[in-house]
Amino acid sequence: MKHKTLKGLQDILPPDISIWHHIEKTAANIFKSYGYHEIRLPIMESTEVFKRSIGETSDIVEKEMYTFQDKGGRSVTLRPEGTASFVRAYVEHHLHNNPPPQKYYYTGPMFRYERPQAFRYRQFYQIGAEAMGIEDPKLDAEIISMLSRILDSIGLKGLNFEITSIGCKECRPDHKIALKNFLGSKLDAFCSDCRRRYDTNPLRILDCKVPACIELRKGSPPVLDYLCKECKDHFDSLNKYLKLLKVPYRVNPNLVRGLDYYTKTAFEVSSENLGSQSAVAAGGRYDSMVKEFGGPPTPGIGFAMGMERVIPLLKDVIEISDGPELLICPLDNAASEKGLHLAELLRAKGLWVEINHEITSLKSQMRKANRISAKNVIVLGDDEINSHKIVVKSMIDKVEKESKLDADQIAAILQQRS
RNA sequence: GUGAGUGUAGCUCAGUUGGUUAGAGCUCCUGACUGUGGCUCAGGAGGCCGGGGGUUCGAAUCCCCUCACUCACCCCA
């Protein structure tokens, strides 16, 4: 084979595409009910947009970005996530001049140069939502509830909702110091990954799956104990509101975010059926990001959901079967021409109609009707054209109904049956 | 970036200690059944056995290299 998709990229073909449509449609309806508007952003930004927001030392920026020079010598990057682009657009178009909360959602491809793995691709699709301008934890509860509703409505069950607070600029450093003090004394006993994390991202050690590390980190200073009053009140209220909204969740103080811009609330939805890539959706608050992008101080909160994580979970649940309302089976050339015209008239009424353009035995045409899951067939031959009468046969229950060779009447029968 | 596994038909996979022209099931096309489907039967189409090199009278099979894919680590949605 001469050409193939690049590593970690994939073609999305029918019938899988109908799952995508199902998810996108369902999400769009729920977004609408919460007042979220769609925005479409470019898939490329100036590299600085991501470096500044995601964090220079994060793995994403350090080794996973598709960064290159355009012909004008500018460093540009294929977006590895949506929030940074969104905040750039928010500031650029002065969206803060609209009454808060301003609520937006987006969908589209993201790019990260990673080794592909089950449920992990280099080009992957996210549906994300961002709500701006409100600091109150009621907004946190609302957006988490919305996410829960979306996942539920598309048909996913048995997901784990976890939340925590990772503090703010004031209190987070205190916790980090306390954590490093605690871990530092016995660092040699940890796995090599954890020893490396101690310098790069000590919080990650709390997430390590190596049994020895789990044992060693017992008794480490909990994040939630180090929250400043403001962060603690915020988190307490969020818990109250989530209970009020009956969102099923649990607190996981070891939840870690890979991006630097998060503050206070962090949340994650995971599944046990995704191998090692358990995250289905995740998000959090980012109260200082707009200011860092040069806008007025504006709090924000958002999440992103990974399509490639959701779809495999859905494949077991959702049934995909799709076929035309009608297949026209002509027996000779004259009938074929008549059928061609009839098909157009029916399609003009919005019906999905197929016609066999090549004349083969009636038997094989009927077989084809089965294969393409046609719901009804009509046979067109001399008899039908001379008598101007046809039979609409249901392929599902074999019921035959006589009709005039007339698009209106045929359409009425098809609509009655669907 | 690190480690392991797998590459044979469109798909799922057989292929014995190396031995004629590489097989099966599903799918696709045709017919049995000449104007009514799903079953059955028969026939047909479809292969650089991932690629290159080596050993051998002879390689899908053994050896070396390479490429691709998959899974896991890492990281993350």
Side-chain angles (χ1 to χ4, degrees):
Chain A
M1 214 168 296
K2 203 170 174 188
H3 298 295
K4 300 174 75 172
T5 52
L6 294 172
K7 187 196 270 285
L9 275 54
Q10 55 174 348
D11 300 318
I12 301 155
L13 308 171
D16 282 3
I17 196 74
S18 58
I19 300 186
W20 289 70
H21 291 155
H22 162 71
I23 295 168
E24 287 159 359
K25 234 187 254 176
T26 306
N29 283 336
I30 293 173
F31 281 135
K32 196 175 176 192
S33 71
Y34 280 82
Y36 283 71
H37 299 284
E38 183 177 5
I39 51 168
R40 299 196 184 184
L41 303 167
I43 60 166
M44 265 191 271
E45 299 278 349
S46 139
T47 301
E48 280 302 303
V49 168
F50 303 114
K51 269 196 185 168
R52 297 276 298 281
S53 55
I54 297 170
E56 295 266 8
T57 58
S58 67
D59 271 39
I60 293 178
V61 170
E62 271 191 344
K63 45 191 192 191
E64 294 175 3
M65 294 205 306
Y66 276 91
T67 296
F68 57 95
Q69 293 220 327
D70 70 8
K71 298 203 181 205
R74 290 167 284 258
S75 178
V76 298
T77 296
L78 262 35
R79 62 181 180 191
E81 60 108 28
T83 303
S85 304
F86 165 74
V87 171
R88 189 231 81 224
Y90 184 84
V91 172
E92 179 173 340
H93 301 289
H94 307 285
L95 296 178
H96 60 269
N97 284 332
N98 297 311
Q102 300 97 22
K103 300 188 273 196
Y104 304 92
Y105 77 92
Y106 54 84
T107 160
M110 311 290 163
F111 304 84
R112 289 184 202 173
Y113 193 85
E114 302 177 271
R115 279 286 276 271
Q117 212 174 305
F119 318 111
R120 189 172 86 180
Y121 301 89
R122 287 183 172 177
Q123 176 177 341
F124 58 100
Y125 289 76
Q126 291 188 335
I127 296 183
E130 316 283 353
M132 310 301 291
I134 300 282
E135 215 167 350
D136 195 293
K138 289 195 196 78
L139 184 67
D140 304 34
E142 186 186 281
I143 198 169
I144 292 171
S145 178
M146 176 174 77
L147 173 59
S148 163
R149 191 169 300 239
I150 289 171
L151 293 168
D152 191 62
S153 297
I154 62 182
L156 288 177
K157 308 281 177 237
L159 298 173
N160 308 312
F161 267 77
E162 296 179 320
I163 69 162
T164 189
S165 174
I166 57 169
C168 61
K169 279 212 169 77
E170 304 304 317
C171 51
R172 192 163 14 169
D174 294 345
H175 173 249
K176 202 168 167 180
I177 290 165
L179 184 65
K180 286 185 94 163
N181 284 341
F182 175 86
L183 299 170
S185 58
K186 41 187 173 178
L187 193 62
D188 291 345
F190 280 91
C191 70
S192 58
D193 282 327
C194 281
R195 291 202 298 277
R196 180 178 49 75
R197 287 172 181 134
Y198 183 78
D199 292 317
T200 58
N201 190 354
L203 283 171
R204 275 262 164 241
I205 297 177
L206 301 176
D207 203 34
C208 183
K209 286 135 206 147
V210 176
C213 298
I214 293 173
E215 194 58 36
L216 284 164
R217 71 177 183 237
K218 272 189 183 160
S220 64
V223 213
L224 298 177
D225 288 2
Y226 281 78
L227 295 181
C228 62
K229 177 153 193 330
E230 192 191 324
C231 288
K232 187 171 186 326
D233 288 348
H234 189 97
F235 187 62
D236 290 345
S237 301
L238 172 60
N239 277 280
K240 191 173 95 187
Y241 300 141
L242 284 175
K243 279 171 188 139
L244 180 74
L245 297 180
K246 298 198 165 50
V247 177
Y249 76 99
R250 70 183 189 90
V251 173
N252 176 5
N254 294 340
L255 213 59
V256 182
R257 299 286 65 174
L259 299 86
D260 283 359
Y261 53 66
Y262 285 114
T263 55
K264 291 182 180 163
T265 307
F267 56 95
E268 187 166 311
V269 187
S270 60
S271 162
E272 282 143 24
N273 303 317
L274 284 176
S276 59
Q277 316 297 323
S278 61
V280 169
R285 197 163 255 290
Y286 46 91
D287 285 350
S288 48
M289 201 170 161
V290 173
K291 187 165 176 240
E292 277 158 24
F293 268 74
T298 310
I301 181 166
F303 69 79
M305 172 176 120
M307 291 291 276
E308 289 81 359
R309 304 283 166 85
V310 171
I311 285 165
L313 296 172
L314 228 43
K315 272 192 175 169
D316 305 329
V317 183
I318 300 244
E319 206 177 303
I320 327 168
S321 77
D322 218 5
E325 291 297 322
L326 178 69
L327 175 69
I328 299 171
C329 304
L331 297 175
D332 55 46
N333 276 325
S336 185
E337 285 174 18
K338 188 84 189 166
L340 187 68
H341 184 57
L342 176 63
E344 284 300 293
L345 294 174
L346 291 167
R347 287 164 180 157
K349 296 173 186 297
L351 291 160
W352 178 6
V353 176
E354 298 287 346
I355 177 165
N356 281 331
H357 289 297
E358 288 179 347
I359 293 158
T360 55
S361 72
L362 183 55
K363 178 119 181 161
S364 71
Q365 298 207 47
M366 294 300 287
R367 276 189 193 156
K368 182 167 175 188
N370 275 319
R371 281 200 316 273
I372 65 175
S373 303
K375 297 191 182 84
N376 299 280
V377 294
I378 64 177
V379 174
L380 271 189
D382 286 346
D383 295 351
E384 285 77 10
I385 289 171
N386 292 335
S387 66
H388 212 67
K389 277 184 191 163
I390 54 105
V391 169
V392 180
K393 175 170 177 174
S394 163
M395 295 301 285
I396 296 156
D397 53 21
K398 299 188 183 187
V399 171
E400 298 186 354
K401 185 144 187 177
E402 281 200 18
S403 162
K404 275 196 264 181
L405 182 41
D406 168 79
D408 287 332
Q409 202 174 339
I410 294 169
I413 293 171
L414 294 177
Q415 267 148 7
Q416 201 181 351
R417 281 181 178 173
S418 65

